[in-house]
Amino acid sequence: MSNKRVYLFQDGDKSMRDLLGGKGANLAEMTNIGLPVPPGFTVTTEVCNEYYATGKKLPAQLDAEVRAAMADVEKNMGRTFGAGPKPLLVSVRSGSKFSMPGMMDTVLNLGLNPTTVAAFIAETGDARFVYDSFRRFIMMFSDVAFGLSKHSFDEKIFAEYKAKVGAKTDLDLTAEHLKEICDLFLKHVSDNAGREFPTDVWEQLSLSIEAVFKSWNNDRAIYYRRTEKIPDEIGTGVTIQSMVYGNAGDDCGTGVAFSRDPSTGENVVYGEFLMNAQGEDVVAGVRTPVLISELEKQNPAIYKEFIETMDKLESHYKDMQDIEFTIEHGKLFMLQCRSGKRTGPAAVRIAVEMVAEGLISKDEALLRVTDSHLDQLLHPRIDPHSTGSAIKLATGLAASPGAAVGKVVFDANTAAELGKHGGLGEKVILVRDETNPDDVHGMMAAQGVLTARGGKTSHAAVVARGFGIPCVAGAESLDVNTHAKTFKVGNHVVNEGDIITLDGSTGDVFLGAMTLIDPEVSGSFGTLMTMADEARVLGIRANADNPNDARQALEFGAEGIGLCRTEHMFFEAERLPIVQELILTKDESVRQACLDRLEKIQQGDFEGIFEAMDGKPVTVRLIDPPLHEFLPSFEDLVRETTRLQTTIQLGKGSAADQAELDEKMKLLAEVEGMREANPMLGMRGVRLSIVLPGLVVMQTRAILQAAAKLIKAGKTVLPEIMIPLVSTVNELKVVQGQLESEAKKIVAEQGIDIPYTFGTMIEIPRAALTAGEIAEYAQFFSFGTNDLTQTTFGYSRDDAEGKFLQRYVEQKILPRNPFETIDVTGVGRLMELAVKEGRANRSDLKCGICGEHGGDPESIYFCHKLGLNYVSCSPFRVPIARLAAAQAAIMDRVKVTLDK
Amino acid sequence: MSNKRVYLFQDGDKSMRDLLGGKGANLAEMTNIGLPVPPGFTVTTEVCNEYYATGKKLPAQLDAEVRAAMADVEKNMGRTFGAGPKPLLVSVRSGSKFSMPGMMDTVLNLGLNPTTVAAFIAETGDARFVYDSFRRFIMMFSDVAFGLSKHSFDEKIFAEYKAKVGAKTDLDLTAEHLKEICDLFLKHVSDNAGREFPTDVWEQLSLSIEAVFKSWNNDRAIYYRRTEKIPDEIGTGVTIQSMVYGNAGDDCGTGVAFSRDPSTGENVVYGEFLMNAQGEDVVAGVRTPVLISELEKQNPAIYKEFIETMDKLESHYKDMQDIEFTIEHGKLFMLQCRSGKRTGPAAVRIAVEMVAEGLISKDEALLRVTDSHLDQLLHPRIDPHSTGSAIKLATGLAASPGAAVGKVVFDANTAAELGKHGGLGEKVILVRDETNPDDVHGMMAAQGVLTARGGKTSHAAVVARGFGIPCVAGAESLDVNTHAKTFKVGNHVVNEGDIITLDGSTGDVFLGAMTLIDPEVSGSFGTLMTMADEARVLGIRANADNPNDARQALEFGAEGIGLCRTEHMFFEAERLPIVQELILTKDESVRQACLDRLEKIQQGDFEGIFEAMDGKPVTVRLIDPPLHEFLPSFEDLVRETTRLQTTIQLGKGSAADQAELDEKMKLLAEVEGMREANPMLGMRGVRLSIVLPGLVVMQTRAILQAAAKLIKAGKTVLPEIMIPLVSTVNELKVVQGQLESEAKKIVAEQGIDIPYTFGTMIEIPRAALTAGEIAEYAQFFSFGTNDLTQTTFGYSRDDAEGKFLQRYVEQKILPRNPFETIDVTGVGRLMELAVKEGRANRSDLKCGICGEHGGDPESIYFCHKLGLNYVSCSPFRVPIARLAAAQAAIMDRVKVTLDK
């Protein structure tokens, strides 16, 4: 800790954000590059920590440093703090390293007391202005320092006084009125604060500094830091700055501006201002501000200075700036500057154009765009200028990004019937209390999904993100009546067929249609992606199970398919009965016939995918889920058979009922025999392939025959056959044996060589722990981090997310949801061990990841550090993964440089 | 590989079991210590491997070596192989390193052909004896060398000939008859073997050697090696030995004997013999052999030589010997010796007495007793001399050791009603098709359990072993009709109330009562246990959930309780409703009232356990299972509500039905809300304690108040509070916080210090991977290897054992069931890492194991090597664990010595 507690603006710079907070550091920087900044100083963030460490006491030495700094400001301004003839008034504001807008306290006009009020009136000749300033100061200060609510001044005393004198607006009040109000305010303080309002300006100042420190730990600040992941230990600085007034006459004004358009990124100054007004008037919306371009007409000289200042700022900071300014009697002052928040499209355009302008490097440009910026570009979004009659109905959780417009439907079958995948049918929005696996076919056909219950990791959210369709989840104000096909929100009743608009990026739900803007894949976006591809080391693949998804993935820049799940192909309507027969038959010849039929169908699927991915690798995972997932639900069968049994017992059953019962009882027994206590850990993955070798043979034939056909047609096919859920190398040996003997047959039958490789998922702790052995048989590893997280933590994702995981994250038992971002400590340790020991036994072992983490930027950073060959994610996450991989490579490079 | 392929007996010794097989090595040893052994030689096991490695060809050099060895035997015996006047006949026998009785082929009387038959008749003057020998030789040789079944000689030609000449028994056949039979046999060979029977004795010999090698890989030998875990690569030797004849006259005889009684271990020679007979006559049981003591009366000189030989053998081998002998014309020959198989009681007694006799060391004694030897002592067993009318009904799997007699009951409720735990009620045997968790209360009250379906790892088997009650599982010949309360086996119908006897150590089921012998815990057993306790390093604890089990554990020598499961206390009939109310209520005050009631009840339980364990540590695990285990079954509720709904819909429902439906629908919704997709990985263990902190507080109070009460009563109480299912150190921090603040309160309330410690289960991979962090908060680790195996392999035990684990073991994908013996490669690696990193951060970290592996000898060896402080197992396994821990320490020590 340094000894210096107070920094004059001229003594600081923008690199001192840790010590001075963002606001203090930027005011110092602007001062030092010669911009017009009202003089002031900053009490450091270390003093805040000192204050808390010593049981909430300001350090004894602080006062002397503050007085010295104030003396400098007084000299600079030619004014005196607490005395006439020209009294110095100051603002006191918080400011931590990271912006926490509105979370902490501010005091304006500090330094007024009976003496300085009189002197200020004498100086300005404007008693009304001075008493109005005094009134505001008493209220703000007392709120902050004594905990007397603004409300107790504003709504009670002020409003009552206005009523008494018949004033309709503040402007109807005279100087005399305001003076009386000040007296009433001072009395309110002495009646309720247990003391008189301080007239000593140094006491005013030290109480205000302390109040700002206290506000660091008010409830809303703590909550904000938690949600924004800002550490509690960084503390806030306190900036004391001489007041300037935009409301001191018609040659005064105030405004906010951005150095480029924050919505579009266009390189034009964008802002608004009001003459004869204070900052809060601009924000409050009482008067309508005018566009910054108006200033040119009103005051060309000031406008010129303003534009020059903005240019200077941007070329100095090399980023789009968000500033506040005030004009006091024709003189421009800069009150704040910071990097401006921007929309996704703006972020991309600004980054790309600043590279073209030579302002920043490509590395810097890539680091400035976030995954949520890109996400906005990759989905349809509501046109910010959309007009029309749509009204906001509700806000739920922003569960899957993008916007959608469509007719409300309440069940999956109707959705599937009306909508058609690919957008050829009607556009529908599926509205449910919550969704379950039975709804998936309806979700696939819908433009968007809206649920009344469930969080960001609910079934609806996860599936919607997987399909890349917008979802608003947990909109709790919705009262959904599936039976009546209607939902209510407040007074609105929405029926099936009514049109609504969802915004899955914000969680908003509107009644009526809004205009949507299509996703962008060219222009600045394309340029940025090219930069990312140049910078990154990691390969990027996509998870895709059908030719459509494969083509989508290619369009988004995927370099291969990292996970093609073969079982999804079995769920389609015309295929499921074959799969069910395969599972249920006891007759070996029937089983083989089913396998033969499935082989033809799967071969067709693979041909489509291989053709789409011509020249790029495709990792095909052999069948994974437990077989009972393909059969009717046990619970439904229990209900159905009990209903039939009861009906028959009561003498109300027909012969048909008895026949149905007999059949269903048989099916029930079959399904019951296959039920599992913990299906996640049961008969699935490679275990299926070993117990039912016919499946491996069938799938091998389908893959390799498809490959052979396309190779003969001149395509380049690179199939990688992947075995799921391996926990011992011997499983791999057995399956490899089955597979290779079948592959030899096919090569002989087809008369050509098929360049396939053979590998395994690493998704079970034991596989990671024995990766050395496994690498002797596997040519590649693909980390299935969903299952690996489940088994390493002993969490069933289905159960954990609903039952305790949220609680764990809230209580900081876990830093974050390990299903969203890889748990580096536990799961990551296993991955590291597997990569190291696997490559020790096979130096060219290809390693990738195909769990959902493959699309998470922080996890991608870890994968880069691990030295994986590629990450694979859903097609819609591919651009985000390309960017994140580039960022990982850059951060890694920069760190290496810094370490030297 | 050595160059020498053939060893004369005088050139080998007992250390050469690898090379000569057990039989060959022991014949060599006996020869060299001067015992009367008919001369011979052994072809090495390496030749067997050479035979297979060269595509089933005998090595060219073998013949010369065999001829040289035979010349030595000829000289020794004064006989000639293949020629008169005194022809040499030999036996050809198999013999590998490990005994594989009856699995491979043998040829006797080899060397007979028309020439030697004539010479042998001339020599012996006994044509009948010689033709009988020739007949036997043709049959055995042709069976072995040409694959002509003995049956085709014996049942067909021989039986038909006897019928034709009217011979009732073999003794009715004359020399002439037997000569004709030999001719018929030779014709059968030439008709069916594709060649003539070989008259060249060298060809006879080399075909027989080759036949023995081939028999190494016959189906039954392969099967036997698999079940006995004998490696396939060791091969068999072939021992060629000159024939001696116990059936050559009344001064001849043959017998088998043990140097001590193999049933009881008493130090007296035990055996049987027959005069004028061959070995197979003793075994076949055609004539009844007489006790060896008879020999003393019949031939005191031979008897004396025999007893001296036995003494010499035992003091040479330092172990109880099982031998075969023959007396030929008044001369004693030893044909085989090996360590004798013995019952459990005999093994213990022999080991202990041999130490007393100074024959072996305590270490050797401890290594000679196996876990299954001890297991026999620790359970009631059927008196081998039991007589009476009991008849054997069936044989199932020996699923849980010990014998039981009781009345048959067919449902758990009847069992619970009639029987009472502790044996105060009627003795009952629960008979079910298979058991499930609903049957547990009935199993607890039964003497034994018999099921018609399920394996050694079925629910019935696992639960019975846990309770220490006998179980025969999977007795597939039983046809159980629960409804009619009867089971059928063949023609027997057994009704409820009929008495049966089970032997869970053999799998036998008898109709009627047999006499049982109680378990032994004193005498030799006690002496052996004292030796074990001196030798072992590992501590031994027991898993016990109630005072009875605690006392039982103490009696078996437990040094503490390693796992006291608190939730078992909740399942008792009067407690379950409180637990259910606790779970279902939404009213915080009702919840607290339930917790208060449970606190009192649990405190009582702990007082009983702490009192029993006075001075010994007790590890109490806080509640672990998912709460829905305490609620009614979802499936039953679905059936019940559907039945009621259907009844009401059909207009047959009463008002009471509607009321019942309403109530059950409410309950169904609650139960459904708590259902989990994978309960093993769901809301259980520490997760419960974090989401419902009241549980931790209640359990802490119950434990510490019980401890305080007993400390005040002068007892020493050492509670160790253990948290289950931890996967991150933060869970431990949170629970420790709750627990310590409650503990402080109690210490203050009670005014005394309570010396408790705080620790965690390590049963989730992530806990092992972060053991270093966890050890900062945990004073002890207890490995829960059941769950750790489940999560490390990604196996749900409930599903895996029924669905694929058996297949995996059969196909050698897994070397054994990892739920029985710790998987050292995967699970063991995590354990090792946890111990190492845990102790690095806390050097006095106490580490133990409380999974079922704690009672498995091989796993105990691993725990010893890991340096754990203790193993904990079910009370009935405690003596086995003490022995295994001693064996581990000894093997470790010996290995260390050998390594020097």
Side-chain angles (χ1 to χ4, degrees), chain B residues 19-136:
Chain B
L19 192 64
L20 305 180
K23 189 194 305 283
N26 282 328
L27 285 169
E29 186 78 11
M30 287 196 290
T31 301
N32 286 315
I33 63 174
L35 297 184
V37 174
F41 56 90
T42 300
V43 179
T44 69
T45 57
E46 288 176 349
V47 179
C48 178
N49 290 331
E50 204 178 348
Y51 173 76
Y52 280 106
T54 55
K56 299 193 185 176
K57 284 203 175 61
L58 291 179
Q61 308 90 323
L62 183 65
D63 188 55
E65 285 196 55
V66 166
R67 283 179 191 254
M70 192 66 90
D72 190 275
V73 175
E74 285 175 320
K75 194 174 147 203
N76 220 317
M77 290 290 282
R79 292 181 167 274
T80 314
F81 186 56
K86 293 173 74 182
L88 174 64
L89 305 189
V90 297
S91 63
V92 179
R93 293 178 206 256
S94 61
S96 77
K97 180 174 182 184
F98 303 105
S99 173
M100 293 171 55
M103 294 299 125
M104 289 180 288
D105 291 334
T106 294
V107 180
L108 301 180
N109 303 323
L110 187 141
L112 286 174
N113 61 16
T115 313
T116 52
V117 163
F120 203 26
I121 293 171
E123 180 194 347
T124 59
D126 188 349
R128 192 186 178 287
F129 162 67
V130 173
Y131 282 119
D132 192 42
S133 298
F134 192 35
R135 160 185 82 88
R136 290 175 195 260

Side-chain angles (χ1 to χ4, degrees), chain A residues 635 675 677-681 687 730-731 764 766 769 792-794 796 799 803 808 813 823 829 837, chain B residues 635 675 677-681 687 730-731 764 766 769 792-794 796 799 803 808 813 823 829 837:
Chain A
E635 192 184 322
R675 270 181 103 198
N678 300 285
M680 213 297 274
L681 305 179
R687 301 163 196 173
N730 291 334
E731 290 169 320
I764 296 291
R766 198 176 185 284
L769 290 163
T792 304
F793 273 93
S796 162
D799 304 313
K803 299 232 157 79
Y808 268 36
I813 290 172
D823 158 54
R829 182 174 185 183
E837 298 184 7
Chain B
E635 191 183 323
R675 271 181 102 197
N678 300 285
M680 215 297 272
L681 305 179
R687 301 163 196 174
N730 292 334
E731 289 170 320
I764 295 291
R766 199 177 184 282
L769 290 163
T792 304
F793 273 93
S796 162
D799 304 314
K803 299 231 156 80
Y808 268 37
I813 290 172
D823 157 54
R829 183 174 184 183
E837 298 184 8

Side-chain angles (χ1 to χ4, degrees), chain B residues 311-513:
Chain B
D311 286 349
K312 191 165 181 180
L313 262 182
E314 204 186 76
S315 63
H316 182 74
Y317 279 98
K318 299 180 195 301
D319 195 7
M320 186 265 269
Q321 293 298 300
D322 166 5
I323 61 108
E324 292 176 18
F325 66 95
T326 283
I327 300 166
E328 190 183 56
H329 302 308
K331 178 163 166 40
L332 176 70
F333 289 99
M334 304 298 283
L335 297 187
Q336 172 157 319
C337 80
R338 62 184 173 201
S339 286
K341 292 215 189 298
R342 59 208 79 179
T343 66
V348 172
R349 179 167 174 180
I350 291 170
V352 167
E353 291 188 355
M354 281 191 171
V355 173
E357 293 161 20
L359 215 53
I360 59 175
S361 71
K362 287 180 179 179
D363 281 0
E364 284 169 310
L366 286 164
L367 291 177
R368 286 217 185 138
V369 179
T370 66
D371 57 320
S372 48
H373 285 147
L374 275 197
D375 221 14
Q376 291 176 36
L377 263 76
L378 295 171
H379 294 90
R381 55 192 196 279
I382 293 173
D383 184 344
H385 308 295
S386 176
T387 49
S389 60
I391 48 171
K392 187 155 163 186
L393 277 180
T395 301
L397 300 168
S400 177
V405 178
K407 288 185 179 171
V408 169
V409 296
F410 291 92
D411 65 290
N413 289 339
T414 309
E417 213 171 289
L418 290 181
K420 284 237 165 46
H421 199 45
L424 298 172
E426 286 206 70
K427 294 189 189 309
V428 298
I429 306 267
L430 180 61
V431 181
R432 306 277 301 159
D433 239 10
E434 52 190 343
T435 65
N436 64 50
D438 294 341
D439 294 322
V440 170
H441 65 296
M443 297 173 77
M444 278 174 69
Q447 299 294 309
V449 178
L450 169 61
T451 68
R453 289 195 283 155
K456 285 193 173 191
T457 54
S458 63
H459 178 267
V462 171
V463 172
R465 286 197 296 270
F467 290 155
I469 58 174
C471 174
V472 173
E476 293 186 347
S477 60
L478 263 62
D479 182 4
V480 179
N481 186 333
T482 309
H483 199 68
K485 303 202 166 190
T486 173
F487 75 81
K488 283 190 212 164
V489 198
N491 297 325
H492 295 284
V493 177
V494 180
N495 296 301
E496 185 169 87
D498 290 353
I499 290 188
I500 62 172
T501 301
L502 294 187
D503 189 339
S505 306
T506 61
D508 289 336
V509 183
F510 303 89
L511 182 57

Side-chain angles (χ1 to χ4, degrees), chain B residues 499-743:
Chain B
I499 290 188
I500 62 172
T501 301
L502 294 187
D503 189 339
S505 306
T506 61
D508 289 336
V509 183
F510 303 89
L511 182 57
M514 297 182 83
T515 317
L516 302 188
I517 299 177
D518 277 341
E520 233 168 282
V521 287
S522 57
S524 297
F525 172 82
T527 310
L528 188 80
M529 284 294 105
T530 305
M531 289 182 200
D533 291 345
E534 287 165 10
R536 70 186 158 85
V537 178
L538 271 173
I540 308 292
R541 297 195 188 184
N543 300 348
D545 308 336
N546 56 58
N548 275 343
D549 283 358
R551 281 186 286 270
Q552 175 76 80
L554 272 181
E555 203 170 303
F556 279 130
E559 298 164 315
I561 290 178
L563 178 62
C564 173
R565 282 163 290 213
T566 51
E567 62 270 9
H568 282 199
M569 303 170 182
F570 292 158
F571 279 107
E572 290 183 26
E574 69 274 27
R575 303 171 176 193
L576 196 52
I578 313 177
V579 179
Q580 291 180 342
E581 195 178 355
L582 167 73
I583 296 169
L584 295 174
T585 185
K586 303 276 177 255
D587 180 338
E588 200 44 54
S589 66
V590 173
R591 189 192 313 269
Q592 191 53 52
C594 294
L595 285 169
D596 291 345
R597 288 164 72 193
L598 288 172
E599 180 184 319
K600 299 236 161 13
I601 292 170
Q602 282 224 315
Q603 183 178 335
D605 293 324
F606 291 131
E607 286 170 13
I609 293 171
F610 291 153
E611 184 162 18
M613 297 303 292
D614 183 15
K616 296 193 165 63
V618 177
T619 310
V620 181
R621 182 179 72 184
L622 299 192
I623 186 167
D624 184 51
L627 294 184
H628 51 71
E629 285 197 7
F630 298 100
L631 298 180
S633 115
F634 175 76
E635 191 183 323
D636 289 350
L637 285 170
V638 166
R639 279 189 214 277
E640 203 48 23
T641 52
T642 306
R643 189 186 61 73
L644 288 164
Q645 278 168 337
T646 309
T647 307
I648 291 164
Q649 276 162 16
L650 292 174
K652 300 268 191 174
S654 64
D657 285 340
Q658 185 61 52
E660 190 185 346
L661 175 61
D662 292 345
E663 194 184 318
K664 294 225 157 129
M665 286 301 286
K666 237 177 83 186
L667 189 55
L668 177 63
E670 292 284 352
V671 172
E672 189 161 20
M674 290 199 187
R675 271 181 102 197
E676 296 185 302
N678 300 285
M680 215 297 272
L681 305 179
M683 174 77 167
R684 51 174 284 239
V686 67
R687 301 163 196 174
L688 273 180
S689 296
I690 285 174
V691 175
L692 296 170
L695 285 172
V696 175
V697 170
M698 180 278 280
Q699 295 204 306
T700 304
R701 294 193 65 84
I703 295 165
L704 297 185
Q705 286 174 164
K709 187 167 166 186
L710 285 162
I711 292 170
K712 287 179 182 172
K715 301 279 183 182
T716 302
V717 186
L718 302 169
E720 303 178 331
I721 300 178
M722 179 160 77
I723 310 302
L725 219 71
V726 164
S727 61
T728 153
V729 65
N730 292 334
E731 289 170 320
L732 217 54
K733 279 193 219 177
V734 169
V735 174
Q736 196 181 32
Q738 297 164 6
L739 194 148
E740 288 203 335
S741 79
E742 203 58 35

Side-chain angles (χ1 to χ4, degrees), chain B residues 249-263:
Chain B
D250 290 338
D251 56 349
C252 301
T254 192
V256 296
F258 294 85
S259 60
R260 306 195 183 207
D261 185 333
S263 297

Side-chain angles (χ1 to χ4, degrees), chain B residues 80-222:
Chain B
T80 314
F81 186 56
K86 293 173 74 182
L88 174 64
L89 305 189
V90 297
S91 63
V92 179
R93 293 178 206 256
S94 61
S96 77
K97 180 174 182 184
F98 303 105
S99 173
M100 293 171 55
M103 294 299 125
M104 289 180 288
D105 291 334
T106 294
V107 180
L108 301 180
N109 303 323
L110 187 141
L112 286 174
N113 61 16
T115 313
T116 52
V117 163
F120 203 26
I121 293 171
E123 180 194 347
T124 59
D126 188 349
R128 192 186 178 287
F129 162 67
V130 173
Y131 282 119
D132 192 42
S133 298
F134 192 35
R135 160 185 82 88
R136 290 175 195 260
F137 169 55
I138 299 166
M139 180 170 72
M140 286 174 105
F141 177 89
S142 303
D143 177 27
V144 160
F146 302 146
L148 296 178
S149 72
K150 283 186 185 170
H151 178 85
S152 70
F153 291 95
D154 227 359
E155 305 285 306
K156 295 225 137 195
I157 305 165
F158 193 60
E160 280 168 16
Y161 188 91
K162 283 207 290 187
K164 197 182 79 184
V165 300
K168 282 181 184 157
T169 74
D170 294 6
L171 294 176
D172 297 334
L173 295 170
T174 63
E176 197 53 39
H177 287 147
L178 287 163
K179 181 169 184 295
E180 279 184 31
I181 287 169
C182 288
D183 290 340
L184 289 172
F185 276 14
L186 292 170
K187 179 164 188 306
H188 177 60
V189 173
S190 80
D191 286 351
N192 294 288
R195 61 164 288 173
E196 293 298 317
F197 186 84
T199 53
D200 175 354
V201 294
W202 296 105
E203 188 183 7
Q204 289 175 0
L205 183 59
S206 87
L207 285 173
S208 296
I209 291 171
E210 191 171 353
V212 171
F213 287 158
K214 278 184 185 150
S215 72
W216 175 250
N217 276 337
N218 69 33
D219 291 344
R220 62 180 194 278
I222 290 172

Side-chain angles (χ1 to χ4, degrees), chain A residues 396-627:
Chain A
L397 299 168
S400 178
V405 177
K407 288 185 179 173
V408 169
V409 296
F410 292 91
D411 66 289
N413 289 338
T414 308
E417 214 170 288
L418 290 180
K420 284 237 166 45
H421 200 45
L424 298 172
E426 285 205 70
K427 294 190 189 309
V428 298
I429 307 268
L430 180 61
V431 181
R432 306 277 301 160
D433 240 9
E434 50 191 345
T435 64
N436 64 49
D438 295 340
D439 295 322
V440 169
H441 64 297
M443 297 173 76
M444 277 175 69
Q447 298 295 308
V449 178
L450 168 61
T451 69
R453 289 194 283 152
K456 286 193 173 191
T457 53
S458 64
H459 178 267
V462 171
V463 173
R465 286 198 296 271
F467 290 155
I469 58 174
C471 173
V472 173
E476 294 187 345
S477 59
L478 262 64
D479 182 6
V480 178
N481 187 332
T482 309
H483 199 68
K485 303 205 166 186
T486 172
F487 74 83
K488 281 188 212 166
V489 200
N491 298 323
H492 294 285
V493 177
V494 180
N495 297 302
E496 186 170 271
D498 290 352
I499 289 189
I500 62 173
T501 302
L502 294 186
D503 189 341
S505 305
T506 62
D508 291 334
V509 183
F510 304 88
L511 182 57
M514 297 180 85
T515 317
L516 302 189
I517 300 178
D518 278 342
E520 233 167 280
V521 287
S522 56
S524 298
F525 172 83
T527 311
L528 188 81
M529 285 295 103
T530 306
M531 289 183 201
D533 291 346
E534 287 165 11
R536 69 186 160 84
V537 179
L538 271 172
I540 308 292
R541 297 194 187 184
N543 301 347
D545 308 336
N546 56 59
N548 275 344
D549 284 358
R551 279 186 288 268
Q552 176 75 80
L554 272 181
E555 202 171 303
F556 280 130
E559 298 163 316
I561 289 178
L563 177 63
C564 173
R565 282 163 291 213
T566 51
E567 61 272 10
H568 282 199
M569 304 171 182
F570 293 159
F571 279 108
E572 290 182 27
E574 69 274 25
R575 302 172 178 192
L576 195 53
I578 312 176
V579 179
Q580 292 181 340
E581 192 178 357
L582 167 73
I583 297 168
L584 294 173
T585 186
K586 304 273 178 259
D587 179 337
E588 200 44 55
S589 65
V590 173
R591 189 191 312 271
Q592 192 53 53
C594 294
L595 285 169
D596 291 345
R597 287 163 72 192
L598 288 172
E599 179 184 319
K600 298 239 159 12
I601 292 170
Q602 283 224 317
Q603 182 177 336
D605 294 324
F606 292 129
E607 286 169 12
I609 293 171
F610 291 153
E611 185 163 17
M613 298 303 293
D614 182 16
K616 296 193 165 60
V618 177
T619 309
V620 180
R621 181 179 74 184
L622 299 192
I623 187 168
D624 184 49
L627 294 184

